[in-house]
Amino acid sequence: MKKNYTKFLFLFSLLLITVAGCKKGEIKEEGTDAMLQEASNRTKNVRNITDPNDPNLDPNWQWWQYQAHNLYYSPTGSVSNIQTINTFLPFYTQGNVLNSGPELDIFPEDGWVLAFRDFGTPTRPIDFPFFVLYNKYRAIFRVMLYNAQQVPSSYLKADLSFVNPGYTGGLMTFNAEGAGSFLNNYDPNVKDHQIATSNQFSDWLVFDYNLAGYDPGYAMNAGLKLQINRIDETTITLNSTDFTLNETITQVTPGGQGTSFANAINTGYNIVDGADKFRKVLKESQWGKPDNSIFHNILNSSYADAIPLVGTALGIIKSFIGGKTKPAPRQPLKFSGTLNFSGLAVLGNTLYSRTFSLNSNSTVLSDYKPVQPISWGLFNIVEMPTFNCSIKEGYNDNCQWYVDATAELANPVNFISNHAANGLIFKGATIGIIVAPGDQRPEYATRYGGAFPYHQETRQLVYGETIENMYSGKQIGLKLYYEVINPTKYMDKDIVIYKIYPANYNFTGSQRVDTCPNPPGGGISW
């Protein structure tokens, strides 16, 4: 047991686990209280950057250095009441989720670039000092917000959405499911919600959003809006045998994607840091049962040996971005789970709201523009693939009746990649039809082809099985492989990406083919 547990720790230490779950709950709008209203007013009074020489616009600012920084804020929103905090960034703050050990995930060599920053100045305060980093290798949009206002709330809800549905792009397709996963059908009203803890004695809040969706035609005036509201934790009930409510909010951050916060949380994911939290979440999933060979093998393998197993488990596992042989802190892995919440309540006032233009040439007014050009996103599939399915049946060489079901892509997968602009080499891709998630018997295991963007596979049906129940409505798994061109500091140079997608299936007919020297008359039908 000790040996297996050690392997488990090695595999999932410092992983970010994103777990889709079914949760019951409701959203209630509560009344206003004076402290919340005061915080809301401050967001209207403080000034954003107007001076082109403001030091916050310096693209060469070295956030990775071990040093304290001055943050300038105003408790009242008045420039006559500016206060200064000298503090370390979250990577060097004790107890912060980003302070992950000696191999910190913060360095430019590992893909991080500065997108936005505002710590205020001695003459221009800001309500909540913040900065945003973007990881061009893993498409992480990381917001780090300092709770200088000492907001009186244990839990906060942060939503990331487009400012204007008329100016958008397919950047949030990686976390989407169903038809919204494709570039030509993304939801311009989509919101990505996360819940995090708030320390009223001042600390850094951290929100990680995935912007892996690549859209070469995203609107020049597209902008993202971050909005934070208070959550009334007194009404929340967690239906769990292994997690306390506080542990779930603080260490297994609930989140989800959708236009409705209630629906997103009720069908969303959790962000888990650390091997023990992953293990506890897995225990609550139907796939965490001892008799499930897939997860048993993953949990008892080294990291390098487990990555191929993650690929074979697509269907249960919904998405993954990480190193091929070495994990990075907070890697996204999404799979079916069962943590359940009820009674979620959000207080109505907005504590914080800021808008961020994605393009420095945007002509639409926003709070901030990027301090340097950024090529957002990694890849997308443009449209839902369609498979043509057919039957070949008859008596084989041994004069036994057979039925072969073949699925072949009607057209190559319309795949686009942004690797060159982000310092990556595209090493290849493959897809396969997930006919039976979790079933690793050879006849049902996912078969990944080697001719991407094309794919064809043939499966022999057993008695009573039809081509409809073999393929209709089944998802496909996509495996991507990238390599970082320049030397990295701590991150694996080889990046693996897994994601599932829906597909269309058209039945094109059947064909009788006998190879038996003297086939019996007629045939067998089921």
Side-chain angles (χ1 to χ4, degrees):
M1 290 295 294
K2 184 176 182 181
K3 182 178 179 182
N4 287 343
Y5 185 66
T6 301
K7 289 181 179 179
F8 175 83
L9 289 175
F10 175 61
L11 168 59
F12 289 105
S13 177
L14 302 178
L15 274 178
L16 165 93
I17 311 299
T18 312
V19 186
C22 298
K23 310 177 183 79
K24 298 179 180 179
E26 60 177 337
I27 302 302
K28 298 186 292 184
E29 297 295 335
E30 302 290 348
T32 300
D33 68 44
M35 297 187 73
L36 290 178
Q37 187 62 57
E38 180 184 351
S40 181
N41 289 338
R42 282 195 293 264
T43 67
K44 303 172 185 176
N45 295 333
V46 295
R47 295 184 298 161
N48 297 325
I49 299 173
T50 57
D51 181 0
N53 297 314
D54 191 300
N56 290 283
L57 299 178
D58 180 8
N60 299 312
W61 174 61
Q62 298 182 355
W63 65 86
W64 60 92
Q65 297 292 345
Y66 180 76
Q67 65 183 70
H69 296 265
N70 286 330
L71 312 180
Y72 304 94
Y73 78 101
S74 173
T76 63
S78 170
V79 295
S80 62
N81 186 15
I82 301 177
Q83 297 189 18
T84 304
I85 299 173
N86 186 258
T87 188
F88 284 93
L89 299 182
F91 329 113
Y92 302 112
T93 300
Q94 184 176 2
N96 191 279
V97 68
L98 298 182
N99 190 350
S100 56
E103 296 188 358
L104 294 175
D105 186 26
I106 64 174
F107 295 97
E109 300 96 313
D110 293 333
W112 293 104
V113 296
L114 179 65
F116 309 93
R117 178 170 77 108
D118 195 355
F119 288 174
T121 69
T123 60
R124 181 188 60 81
I126 185 70
D127 50 352
F128 290 90
F130 77 94
F131 65 113
V132 178
L133 299 179
Y134 178 72
N135 191 290
K136 62 182 180 180
Y137 300 151
R138 289 175 283 151
I140 300 171
F141 186 86
R142 176 168 290 168
V143 181
M144 289 150 283
L145 189 78
Y146 194 80
N147 185 16
Q149 301 292 343
Q150 299 183 10
V151 172
S153 178
S154 297
Y155 309 134
L156 298 175
K157 174 181 77 80
D159 299 339
L160 190 71
S161 62
F162 288 105
V163 178
N164 185 334
Y167 299 120
T168 62
L171 278 69
M172 298 190 194
T173 52
F174 187 78
N175 277 338
E177 296 188 30
S181 301
F182 301 101
L183 180 58
N184 72 345
N185 199 52
Y186 72 87
D187 183 1
N189 296 295
V190 68
K191 289 185 179 181
D192 205 322
H193 312 269
Q194 290 187 14
I195 301 176
T197 57
S198 168
N199 182 348
Q200 72 179 87
F201 300 105
S202 302
D203 197 4
W204 288 96
L205 301 170
V206 178
F207 302 100
D208 277 359
Y209 297 97
N210 186 290
L211 298 183
Y214 172 50
D215 186 352
Y218 82 85
M220 183 186 70
N221 289 330
L224 296 174
K225 179 182 179 181
L226 178 69
Q227 181 170 307
I228 298 177
N229 292 75
R230 177 188 171 193
I231 293 178
D232 180 8
E233 66 273 18
T234 62
T235 65
I236 305 176
T237 300
L238 174 67
N239 304 316
S240 171
T241 58
D242 284 272
F243 287 96
T244 66
L245 174 61
N246 186 66
E247 183 182 31
T248 302
I249 302 296
T250 58
Q251 301 178 34
V252 193
T253 311
Q257 189 178 93
T259 55
S260 163
F261 171 60
N263 291 337
I265 296 300
N266 293 344
T267 59
Y269 56 81
N270 296 308
I271 300 175
V272 184
D273 287 290
D276 60 332
K277 300 303 180 297
F278 171 79
R279 189 177 190 179
K280 290 169 69 173
V281 170
L282 184 59
K283 284 173 60 180
E284 299 209 11
S285 167
Q286 60 175 311
W287 308 110
K289 300 294 188 296
D291 57 350
N292 187 274
S293 61
I294 299 178
F295 278 103
H296 174 79
N297 291 337
I298 290 176
L299 297 180
N300 290 278
S301 300
S302 68
Y303 180 83
D305 291 337
I307 293 304
L309 297 176
V310 171
T312 63
L314 279 176
I316 299 172
I317 292 174
K318 299 186 176 183
S319 62
F320 172 84
I321 299 179
K324 182 178 180 180
T325 59
K326 177 183 179 181
R330 297 175 68 80
Q331 290 184 152
L333 174 64
K334 181 178 182 180
F335 66 92
S336 300
T338 55
L339 282 175
N340 300 309
F341 294 86
S342 61
L344 288 171
V346 176
L347 297 189
N349 281 348
T350 298
L351 300 178
Y352 180 86
S353 180
R354 287 292 183 273
T355 58
F356 305 93
S357 294
L358 295 174
N359 192 315
S360 59
N361 295 319
S362 172
T363 60
V364 174
L365 184 64
S366 64
D367 294 320
Y368 297 98
K369 292 186 177 182
V371 301
Q372 58 188 315
I374 294 178
S375 187
W376 307 101
L378 289 179
F379 74 96
N380 249 323
I381 293 181
V382 177
E383 59 204 3
M384 189 179 297
T386 296
F387 286 86
N388 290 329
C389 301
S390 60
I391 289 286
K392 185 171 70 173
E393 58 187 1
Y395 289 98
N396 61 20
D397 294 344
N398 297 320
C399 297
Q400 300 293 316
W401 184 257
Y402 76 93
V403 179
D404 286 344
T406 297
E408 182 177 10
L409 276 170
N411 295 292
V413 175
N414 194 349
F415 172 81
I416 56 175
S417 179
N418 194 29
H419 55 278
N422 285 306
L424 298 170
I425 299 172
F426 178 63
K427 302 292 288 187
T430 185
I431 63 171
I433 300 174
I434 305 169
V435 299
D439 193 330
Q440 294 302 290
R441 288 177 293 175
E443 62 268 33
Y444 294 113
T446 304
R447 301 175 183 177
Y448 292 94
F452 185 84
Y454 304 93
H455 183 73
Q456 175 182 314
E457 63 179 63
T458 298
R459 296 173 183 269
Q460 192 169 87
L461 302 183
V462 300
Y463 184 80
E465 193 170 47
T466 67
I467 191 170
E468 287 79 15
N469 62 38
M470 175 64 78
Y471 290 125
S472 294
K474 301 302 170 66
Q475 296 175 310
I476 61 173
L478 171 69
K479 299 181 181 181
L480 293 177
Y481 306 95
Y482 291 105
E483 180 183 339
V484 179
I485 295 175
N486 294 325
T488 60
K489 189 173 182 69
Y490 295 125
M491 187 182 133
D492 195 334
K493 284 178 63 70
D494 295 311
I495 299 173
V496 179
I497 299 176
Y498 300 138
K499 178 170 169 54
I500 61 171
Y501 293 90
N504 292 316
Y505 297 90
N506 293 326
F507 180 67
T508 58
S510 60
Q511 179 185 15
R512 175 71 178 263
V513 178
D514 292 318
T515 57
C516 174
N518 297 296
I524 300 175
S525 60
W526 59 67

